Amino acid sequence: KAGVTQTPRYLIKTRGQQVTLSCSPISGHRSVSWYQQTPGQGLQFLFEYFSETQRNKGNFPGRFSGRQFSNSRSEMNVSTLELGDSALYLCASSVTANTEAFFGQGTRLTVV
Amino acid sequence: QKEVEQDPGPLSVPEGAIVSLNCTYSNSAFQYFMWYRQYSRKGPELLMYTYSSGNKEDGRFTAQVDKSSKYISLFIRDSQPSDSATYLCAKDSSYKLIFGSGTRLLVRP
């Protein structure tokens, strides 16, 4: 059974640019969540989608957005990149809320 | 106060030792708990998932939840150098996971 797939694995962007990250959940999983991981802040929740609906959003600026498609695949977008956006962005999928959540390998974003 | 508190370590033990990793939490709502293991530059790997109080065992790993004291633990028996990683506890809360800061474990050969 394939795991959670995130693409790309690595990205280098310049300040002011925008970026789109992709996540393909485990087959049959309808909930997709996104997290940002940095050495200083640890794992912080960005947003969660279920059946194309955002059910919860973390405390991040509006530059961070996401969406989920009918096949449960999800994308997140960060506009007007700042140096502080450099982080490991992780996607997790689960069948529904309150069940086991499985993470992908992440996308490492570096903003220069 | 953070909703999930975890000692960052590092924790260094000899191979074969029993390891005890601990977290405390402050909000009693939505009481599902998970333990993840994360190797450097990798995504977190789910180790244990538990809801009720008491113990849950899986191979060398035992997860323990004490809801009366809001304390969750992960025990690793017969620790191996390959167990060297960061261990993260997490609590489910309103369609998201709240993570502790992670404990870095080093198992010395």
Side-chain angles (χ1 to χ4, degrees), chain A residues 2 4 14 59 72 75 81 88 90 92:
Chain A
V4 179
T14 304
N59 189 25
S72 294
E75 289 181 347
L81 284 165
L88 180 66
L90 292 159

Tab-separated table of all heavy atoms in Angstrom, chain A residues 2 4 14 59 72 75 81 88 90 92:
chain	number	residue	atom	x	y	z
A	2	ALA	N	0.685	2.124	-0.968
A	2	ALA	CA	1.528	3.302	-1.061
A	2	ALA	C	1.243	4.241	0.105
A	2	ALA	O	0.122	4.337	0.600
A	2	ALA	CB	1.260	4.014	-2.383
A	4	VAL	N	1.897	8.252	1.949
A	4	VAL	CA	1.607	9.627	1.579
A	4	VAL	C	2.761	10.147	0.719
A	4	VAL	O	3.928	10.015	1.104
A	4	VAL	CB	1.441	10.506	2.829
A	4	VAL	CG1	1.167	11.949	2.428
A	4	VAL	CG2	0.326	9.958	3.720
A	14	THR	N	13.076	32.307	-4.094
A	14	THR	CA	13.550	33.641	-3.717
A	14	THR	C	12.440	34.389	-2.993
A	14	THR	O	11.243	34.175	-3.282
A	14	THR	CB	13.968	34.410	-4.989
A	14	THR	OG1	14.946	33.634	-5.688
A	14	THR	CG2	14.555	35.767	-4.646
A	59	ASN	N	-2.849	29.134	13.024
A	59	ASN	CA	-2.576	30.559	13.171
A	59	ASN	C	-1.437	31.002	12.260
A	59	ASN	O	-0.337	31.309	12.720
A	59	ASN	CB	-2.243	30.856	14.650
A	59	ASN	CG	-2.159	32.328	14.923
A	59	ASN	OD1	-2.766	33.136	14.214
A	59	ASN	ND2	-1.403	32.699	15.937
A	72	SER	N	-9.161	13.653	-3.255
A	72	SER	CA	-8.520	13.810	-1.941
A	72	SER	C	-7.094	14.359	-2.004
A	72	SER	O	-6.539	14.691	-0.962
A	72	SER	CB	-8.526	12.508	-1.123
A	72	SER	OG	-9.837	12.159	-0.789
A	75	GLU	N	-3.213	20.461	-2.225
A	75	GLU	CA	-2.115	21.382	-2.505
A	75	GLU	C	-2.133	22.482	-1.463
A	75	GLU	O	-3.190	22.854	-0.951
A	75	GLU	CB	-2.265	22.030	-3.890
A	75	GLU	CG	-2.035	21.097	-5.059
A	75	GLU	CD	-2.174	21.799	-6.393
A	75	GLU	OE1	-2.689	22.940	-6.439
A	75	GLU	OE2	-1.771	21.208	-7.403
A	81	LEU	N	6.766	34.876	-0.573
A	81	LEU	CA	7.616	34.136	0.359
A	81	LEU	C	8.532	35.053	1.152
A	81	LEU	O	9.077	36.044	0.634
A	81	LEU	CB	8.456	33.114	-0.409
A	81	LEU	CG	7.709	31.854	-0.859
A	81	LEU	CD1	8.520	31.100	-1.897
A	81	LEU	CD2	7.392	30.974	0.335
A	88	LEU	N	10.386	22.621	6.817
A	88	LEU	CA	9.931	21.343	6.269
A	88	LEU	C	8.406	21.357	6.326
A	88	LEU	O	7.834	21.534	7.405
A	88	LEU	CB	10.487	20.171	7.089
A	88	LEU	CG	10.092	18.764	6.617
A	88	LEU	CD1	10.694	18.465	5.249
A	88	LEU	CD2	10.541	17.723	7.635
A	90	LEU	N	5.012	19.358	5.951
A	90	LEU	CA	4.588	17.970	6.047
A	90	LEU	C	3.103	17.844	5.812
A	90	LEU	O	2.309	18.665	6.285
A	90	LEU	CB	4.927	17.414	7.431
A	90	LEU	CG	6.412	17.245	7.729
A	90	LEU	CD1	6.674	17.202	9.225
A	90	LEU	CD2	6.946	15.978	7.064
A	92	ALA	N	-0.124	15.078	6.167
A	92	ALA	CA	-0.553	13.857	6.826
A	92	ALA	C	-1.939	13.484	6.324
A	92	ALA	O	-2.775	14.363	6.083
A	92	ALA	CB	-0.589	14.038	8.342
